[in-house]
Amino acid sequence: MEEKIVRRGPVGRFFHWLGKDLKEIGATFAEGDLKTKLSFLIMGYGQLLRGQVVRGLTMFLLQVASLYFIFGFGWQYFSKLPTLGTVETAKINRVTVYGDNSFLILLYGLLTVVVIALLIFLWRVNVRQNREAEKRLARGKRLASNAEDLRSLLDKNFDKTLLALPVLGIFVFTVLPIIFMICIAFTNYDVNHQSPARLFTWVGLENFKAIFGLGGQEGFGNTFFYVLGWTLVWAFFATFLTYFLGMAVAILINKKGIKLKKLWRTVLVMTIAVPQFVSLLYVGKMFAVDGLVNAYLLKWGWIQTAIPFWTNATYARILIIVINLWIGIPYTMLIVTGLLMNIPAELYESARIDGANPLQTFWYITLPYMLFVTGPFLLTQFIGNLNNFNVIFLLNQGNPKSMSLTNNAGATDLLVTWLYKMTINDSNYKIAAVIGIMVFLVTAIISLVVYNTMPSVKDEEGFQ
Amino acid sequence: MARKRKIGNAVCYAILIIMSIIWLFPFVALVLQSFRGESGGMVNYLVPKQWSLANYQFLFSDSCKYVRWYTNTLIIALAVTVLQTMVIICVSYALSRMRFSGRKALMNIWLVLGMFPGFLTMICLYFLLKQMGLTEDGAVPGLILISVASSGMGYYVCKGYFDSMPRSLDEAAILDGATRAQILTKMIIPLSKPIIIYTALVAFMAPWCDYIFASYVAFGHENGYNVAVSMTRWVWTNDYQGYFTRFCAGGILVAIPVTILFMCLQKYYVEGVTGGATKG
């Protein structure tokens, strides 16, 4: 039989799949016996009567539990999702009468949506199980026994056993909160609309307009682009300076004739080993106006007044990048040292015979090899630096602040530290959520572009 | 030629020695300050005029909950180490050695989720923990729960290691009648000692530095603090001059065991990060 080849886009493919799936569900119902037909309503019925007690009971209990959740608990929140609540909490005769709680409505409403989706998925699995069981029986084959079903959880279906808890954990503590916060970006949840006392509601794209300086609200636009600009500049210098200097240090220690290689490495690695809140807080204080560095410079008479390392925006920015070298060079050095050994010695040998000087061997052999091998590392470093909370926050909390910036933003604030301040100090959750989405977009765009141009992205299966 | 090399090496040694001084200076200063008897914040000399153990004695006195904070952190670190390592091994095994429908989709979804900044969801997580009564004074189990719950997404290095083991091992074991669970416990885990140590080490180190989320969850309740939160508050308090040398002492007591552990297991750490760096 000749099959027609039709090219479809992702949307087309989805509808094609949906149509096929619906057809199969219809066929299951039309061709199925009474057990199967009843299973459409009572999940697990068919499995139970065919002797597959474990499957049947699981399906049935899941159905009961999710229906109970949806109608017994979730519905009251789900039904208010479009408005996020209308009844405000009020004080009547000195008694607080609680109205709607927008926070709970949004969170539990979303949870209900997910449970409904889950129920539909389970129902589909349930229908398929019935279909397959019927087919097997029609061919005169035996169904898997309960013991076999259970045992398969340690063998053929071991992945389900292994992944069940991690996936659940990630769902509750990562996926649900992220969806929730994305929704917050489209509401007016802030210090004036705090639940449970006040309601908040949907405002469409207002917050995004504010961030881009449209809508004329408090001059957010300037601040946002200022902070975004510094975030990118910081990530660039923090990544590439540490990378090249770290590589230089690794090559230096690796050089023939240098003794005590292990000692030098160990000294540098101290900064990775000591918890950052100890080392960074101390180093941060060292450069304060009354800190050790200024104190010594004054004592030696090199300067007359203390240098305002942390209160001058330019000094602070440069200093942060320099201190980050102190943290970052050892890390690159460790990785590069391991990789240097992998470069074939013949390459260096033939380069030496051809009369190449050390700089040339570095430029034409070491560097291309390193860039090729450490592509993924550079990408993760860059993205890690975009979100490098600890270095910025423990050193000087994103200061110095400036009159021209809104919402407590400072000259060394990254998008994430600004987000943090807005959440903690200002309860400006709506804008914090928008900034979170912006960080995501920046990360995603950079990853996509780099990933697609990187030569060392190999086929995953190729390693096995 | 030999002379040129000698000069070159001398320059290299000079650079290395200067670097070592820069790298070690803050730690040496920290140790010296922690023994300083005179009060005050940063002073303009390095070696204490009066050596004293008063700062350390203060940490263990009744007027300070340092022991409690230390125990909190230790409990979190140990619990997270055990649970997170288990979760990561499970996830890595499933994603590396088994093929099931939705595998690629799951990995892609997790990759995308990882691109959201962690603090974005802070208020939501705080609320979830509060519903379970795991905030403020009960912050310790709450912090363990949060760290472990999402740790499955950090499977990359471990999966990369599992990927490098030949598939034929599994196939041979299955022919011999082993189940997948037996392959994991009897074969893969014993062969993965370096990567398990690496995973555990990373999991152990992280809670010692956790300031951001820990301070939010504890919400000003001293019993729920970990060392990072309490020490940071000492440095950032208005009266920081009074607490500065105590912070140094407290920091030293945290840094010593963690640093020693790290130095002992350094070999595994290097192996892990190098593997992770090249395979992404």
Side-chain angles (χ1 to χ4, degrees), chain A residues 128-205:
Chain A
R128 186 171 295 138
Q129 280 185 357
N130 272 293
R131 172 96 170 158
E132 269 161 20
E134 270 196 89
K135 271 190 186 164
R136 258 187 104 85
L137 289 175
R139 270 182 278 140
K141 279 188 182 165
R142 197 175 58 84
L143 293 181
S145 73
N146 291 315
E148 279 167 346
D149 269 348
L150 283 178
R151 230 177 291 137
S152 83
L153 284 178
L154 288 179
D155 197 8
K156 224 175 70 201
N157 289 322
F158 193 41
D159 52 306
K160 298 189 178 67
T161 319
L162 289 175
L163 289 174
L165 272 182
V167 168
L168 183 72
I170 289 171
F171 174 76
V172 175
F173 290 101
T174 305
V175 179
L176 188 66
I178 285 181
I179 300 177
F180 176 83
M181 288 311 292
I182 292 176
C183 290
I184 289 290
F186 298 94
T187 70
N188 59 358
Y189 186 26
D190 59 17
V191 71
N192 297 320
H193 300 86
Q194 289 234 50
S195 58
R198 298 280 179 75
L199 299 171
F200 59 85
T201 189
W202 302 106
V203 294
L205 292 171

Side-chain angles (χ1 to χ4, degrees), chain A residues 297-340:
Chain A
L297 291 178
L298 285 169
K299 204 156 103 178
W300 292 335
W302 291 14
I303 52 173
Q304 299 311 315
T305 46
I307 303 172
F309 284 114
W310 292 133
T311 42
N312 176 309
T314 318
Y315 287 165
R317 288 179 162 188
I318 294 172
L319 191 58
I320 279 191
I321 291 177
V322 170
I323 294 178
N324 185 62
L325 289 178
W326 184 71
I327 299 277
I329 284 180
Y331 194 70
T332 316
M333 183 219 44
L334 275 187
I335 287 166
V336 170
T337 307
L339 296 174
L340 279 176

